[in-house]
Amino acid sequence: MEYSCKQLTKKYNSVDLMKFVLSVFVMIIHSGVDKTLIAPLLRMAVPLFFIVSSYFFFNKNKKLTSKAEKKAALLHFVKRNLLLYTVWAGFQLPLVMFGRGYFDGLFPDGILSMLKDLLQGNAFTGSWYVVASVIGVLFIYWASRYLAAKWLVLITLPLYLFGCLVTNYWNLFEPDSFVVRFANGYHDLTGLHFNNSFPIALFWMSVGCFLTQLKVNIKSWVLWAVVLVSGVLIALEQVVAVVNDLAGMDDCYVMLIPLCPAFFLLVSRWKVTINTRFRLREISVLIYVMHGCCERVVGYALKALPFDVWGQNAVKVAIALVMI
């Protein structure tokens, strides 16, 4: 049986609004809200960004008739994202150099560390997403010539589940276990945590591609049921992880697997009127690429003020939004 998705409306105001909210979620995540009950809700942001990017790319790509058009669309996607990465990496370089202390030690070591981060897609806060999106689209574009999207989802699912193990279930494993040794080795090799690198993107972007091939028209009440049940279960997943001190980080949750696709399909059906739709889309991108820079500047300014952690985070988010 072949699956593919019901056509979305021609305008995507609801998705643009969702992306704006998600970009604020990412900012809040990096302000430090791990091991709280709102963390799972915020962690929907990155999977949904991957799903959206993949869905719209492959939905457009499947409507192109020639190989030349498909390759041109792929090249455009890659060039646009790499340009975004390069421009904002250069713009934020002075602050990142200071914040990461590249030159606190020997000068050559600082240069090497900076170049390593740049080449590995870790040039600024959240930049791994941009590079991972490029790798994800390239992989799925190639692999989909041989496998249906549903098989790509199944093949890449273990990568995401491993990401869950090394975040919310990290403390289940002994230091000499395969999971810990592999995760530490991956970090030593790439400079990135496994849960913040392209293997996670492969799964969520495979999901986005799969949704472009879903012919079954899932009723809205079913999607709502999936979202609500998954929302309850992901809250329980968080409680279990926190109470039992299982989590090392909280990037990946098992219950995001049903929650995020169902939520995306629901949002895509909502009719929203936004007069400044394209402006909102640009603001979402700016918040994502600039939030780390703004958060760091504001963080330095607030160190001397008598705010608790939540008070500082609230001020950081508010000021960063105003700055953008």
Side-chain angles (χ1 to χ4, degrees):
M1 181 178 182
E2 293 186 359
Y3 300 90
S4 73
C5 188
K6 179 184 178 182
Q7 288 288 333
L8 301 183
T9 56
K10 291 184 179 180
K11 292 185 178 180
Y12 306 107
N13 292 347
S14 58
V15 176
D16 287 336
L17 180 60
M18 179 186 72
K19 289 168 63 179
F20 171 75
V21 174
L22 295 178
S23 65
V24 177
F25 280 8
V26 171
M27 184 190 302
I28 297 173
I29 288 171
H30 291 145
S31 295
V33 291
D34 57 327
K35 299 184 179 181
T36 64
L37 284 177
I38 67 168
L41 173 66
L42 301 176
R43 289 298 178 181
M44 292 175 63
V46 171
L48 283 168
F49 273 129
F50 281 131
I51 289 173
V52 169
S53 294
S54 178
Y55 179 88
F56 285 112
F57 174 81
F58 288 105
N59 193 45
K60 178 180 179 180
N61 195 263
K62 73 178 184 179
K63 297 174 183 177
L64 301 177
T65 56
S66 69
K67 290 184 178 180
E69 288 178 320
K70 293 178 182 291
K71 289 183 178 179
L74 177 66
L75 182 61
H76 175 73
F77 179 90
V78 172
K79 289 172 63 177
R80 183 184 64 187
N81 280 276
L82 292 182
L83 179 62
L84 176 72
Y85 176 76
T86 304
V87 169
W88 287 106
F91 181 81
Q92 299 188 53
L93 182 60
L95 186 60
V96 172
M97 287 170 57
F98 173 74
R100 294 184 180 178
Y102 284 133
F103 301 110
D104 289 349
L106 297 176
F107 182 80
D109 292 341
I111 292 291
L112 291 175
S113 296
M114 185 170 62
L115 291 176
K116 181 181 178 182
D117 284 346
L118 181 64
L119 294 175
Q120 292 174 336
N122 191 28
F124 55 90
T125 302
S127 62
W128 74 273
Y129 163 82
V130 182
V131 177
S133 295
V134 172
I135 296 174
V137 163
L138 288 172
F139 171 78
I140 296 169
Y141 183 88
W142 168 78
S144 60
R145 292 185 294 179
Y146 309 100
L147 295 170
K150 61 182 178 181
W151 296 116
L152 294 179
V153 172
L154 291 175
I155 290 170
T156 57
L157 176 60
L159 297 175
Y160 180 73
L161 293 177
F162 186 81
C164 294
L165 293 181
V166 299
T167 54
N168 270 309
Y169 302 96
W170 176 257
N171 291 331
L172 285 174
F173 303 98
E174 297 294 332
D176 61 346
S177 67
F178 169 78
V179 170
V180 173
R181 287 188 289 110
F182 183 90
N184 289 336
Y186 186 90
H187 181 267
D188 292 341
L189 179 66
T190 66
L192 296 170
H193 294 291
F194 185 88
N195 47 288
N196 291 140
S197 60
F198 77 91
I200 302 301
L202 295 183
F203 170 69
W204 289 116
M205 299 195 84
S206 294
V207 171
C209 182
F210 169 74
L211 294 179
T212 68
Q213 300 176 6
L214 185 64
K215 287 180 180 176
V216 177
N217 181 16
I218 305 174
K219 295 185 179 297
S220 293
W221 71 265
V222 175
L223 295 174
W224 272 115
V226 172
V227 168
L228 293 175
V229 172
S230 300
V232 172
L233 292 178
I234 201 171
L236 291 175
E237 186 178 1
Q238 174 74 337
V239 169
V240 170
V242 172
V243 169
N244 294 283
D245 193 26
L246 300 179
M249 291 177 281
D250 67 345
D251 298 70
C252 301
Y253 292 83
V254 174
M255 292 312 302
L256 286 176
I257 297 172
L259 177 58
C260 290
F263 186 75
F264 169 72
L265 290 177
L266 266 180
V267 170
S268 69
R269 297 178 182 184
W270 295 347
K271 293 182 179 180
V272 177
T273 301
I274 302 175
N275 294 329
T276 57
R277 177 168 62 96
F278 294 104
R279 173 77 176 157
L280 185 63
R281 189 178 301 173
E282 293 167 358
I283 291 174
S284 300
V285 175
L286 284 174
I287 290 177
Y288 188 91
V289 298
M290 285 291 292
H291 75 273
C293 178
C294 295
E295 195 273 339
R296 189 174 289 114
V297 170
V298 174
Y300 293 147
L302 289 177
K303 281 184 178 180
L305 298 180
F307 292 113
D308 60 15
V309 174
W310 280 99
Q312 289 191 25
N313 287 335
V315 175
K316 288 177 187 178
V317 171
I319 295 179
L321 281 172
V322 172
M323 289 172 66
I324 291 170

